[in-house]
Amino acid sequence: MITLYVVGTPNGQKPTIALNELKAHYGLEFEIYPISFAKNEQKEEWFLKINPNGRIPAIIDHNRNDFAVFESAAILLYLTEHYDPDHIIFPTDSNERSEVIQWLMWQMGGLGPMQGQAGHFNGLKDQIPYAINRYNEETRRLYSVLERHLSEGREWLAAGRYTIADINSFGWAAAHELSTAGKVTMDEFPNVKAWLVRVAERKAVRETFEFFGNKLIENDFHRPAPVAPAAPAEAKWIKTTTTKTVTTTDKDGKKSVVESVSTTYKAV
């Protein structure tokens, strides 16, 4: 059993997604302890013994003498080392592993901190234009890096398949508009948007967002059924009626005639 201490933030979503993936594949059991930010629970002495930095997420692995791990990417690496023998979310090839780790570090050192600062300054009552512009633009630059990477025929961030690199960045990328107050949108980054949709189709990802009551996937990253484009309100309609006659002959040589009528409408 593993206990995950978490809140449904982008960092908290990472190990939750990974644990859901491992549970689906291996039956790995885990439980979630929701940390209360309102009570400042992450700063209480009992939690600081698990994570001296006083931040979520953190885990205790009861299968391994109650070993504690903190920092989201460190938890992902720990889980794959001890609980992913089939390497479903972390490859075996050394070069591919390096690619995954590089993108883990890119998120931990870039996308997370910069977009997090954008969210902080965009949310202040007393706006600071310089800070807002600085962090929104750096967030935009980081998405341009991701866009270029994905535009080179890649569907996933590393190793040519879904890995913890994708898990690590998804939650932050999903919250791009919230963090930047709508100033950075995926209209600028179509390949990133397509990647978001691919990741959101994972059952473990959807289960995680549903558990935390997060509606981002439901509202933004689902694939709606194709809908025929509506005609403009001022459109005129042309009605076309087609009559089709079919003559058939049964085994006794008796002929019968069947007439069908179909009607279509076309906007012009």
Side-chain angles (χ1 to χ4, degrees):
M1 174 68 74
I2 293 173
T3 300
L4 170 63
Y5 301 87
V6 72
V7 178
T9 64
N11 285 337
Q13 293 159 12
K14 301 176 190 181
T16 315
I17 293 171
L19 284 165
N20 276 323
E21 294 282 5
L22 297 173
K23 182 178 182 179
H25 191 81
Y26 303 106
L28 178 65
E29 292 298 325
F30 69 96
E31 62 182 3
I32 291 178
Y33 183 106
I35 291 291
S36 172
F37 283 169
K39 297 178 181 178
N40 214 25
E41 202 171 10
Q42 74 277 14
K43 301 300 184 185
E44 294 181 4
E45 188 61 30
W46 69 268
F47 186 75
L48 293 175
K49 291 179 180 178
I50 301 171
N51 180 359
N53 196 36
R55 298 284 191 272
I56 60 93
I59 65 169
I60 290 182
D61 187 351
H62 306 294
N63 302 318
R64 303 187 67 252
N65 299 315
D66 290 344
F67 188 75
V69 187
F70 65 93
E71 288 296 331
S72 56
I75 294 171
L76 295 180
L77 289 167
Y78 176 88
L79 291 174
T80 56
E81 179 178 1
H82 294 285
Y83 295 104
D84 187 18
D86 295 339
H87 305 283
I88 63 167
I89 51 176
F90 194 46
T92 57
D93 178 80
S94 60
N95 287 350
E96 291 182 348
R97 291 168 76 91
S98 178
E99 287 179 12
V100 171
I101 292 170
Q102 289 171 57
W103 283 99
L104 288 180
M105 298 304 107
W106 175 83
Q107 189 282 321
M108 297 295 289
L111 185 62
M114 295 300 102
Q115 188 172 311
Q117 291 298 318
H120 172 77
F121 285 106
N122 278 296
L124 289 180
K125 180 179 179 181
D126 297 322
Q127 298 279 280
I128 305 173
Y130 170 79
I132 291 172
N133 183 68
R134 169 180 169 76
Y135 290 111
N136 280 346
E137 288 308 308
E138 178 59 10
T139 299
R140 177 176 280 107
R141 186 194 70 81
L142 288 162
Y143 282 116
S144 73
V145 172
L146 196 56
E147 174 70 14
R148 179 174 179 176
H149 180 66
L150 291 167
S151 69
E152 296 171 350
R154 298 181 178 92
E155 291 193 345
W156 308 103
L157 296 194
R161 62 185 178 90
Y162 174 77
T163 68
I164 56 173
D166 303 287
I167 293 172
N168 198 53
S169 286
F170 176 78
W172 282 100
H176 62 277
E177 287 199 38
L178 179 64
S179 299
T180 64
K183 298 181 180 70
V184 176
T185 74
M186 287 299 108
D187 292 340
E188 303 174 57
F189 310 110
N191 287 289
V192 179
K193 184 176 182 179
W195 167 77
L196 280 169
V197 171
R198 281 192 291 276
V199 179
E201 289 173 343
R202 302 282 303 186
K203 184 174 184 287
V205 175
R206 290 183 176 273
E207 288 177 343
T208 296
F209 274 62
E210 288 169 4
F211 175 82
F212 290 122
N214 190 315
K215 301 293 186 181
L216 282 175
I217 291 179
E218 180 181 328
N219 294 337
D220 297 336
F221 306 124
H222 65 294
R223 291 183 185 274
V227 177
E234 68 277 15
K236 294 181 180 180
W237 297 88
I238 295 178
K239 177 180 178 181
T240 303
T241 301
T242 304
T243 301
K244 185 176 181 181
T245 302
V246 178
T247 302
T248 61
T249 304
D250 62 17
K251 62 181 181 179
D252 297 322
K254 183 179 179 180
K255 293 184 178 181
S256 59
V257 177
V258 177
E259 188 175 83
S260 64
V261 178
S262 62
T263 302
T264 61
Y265 295 86
K266 180 178 180 182
V268 294

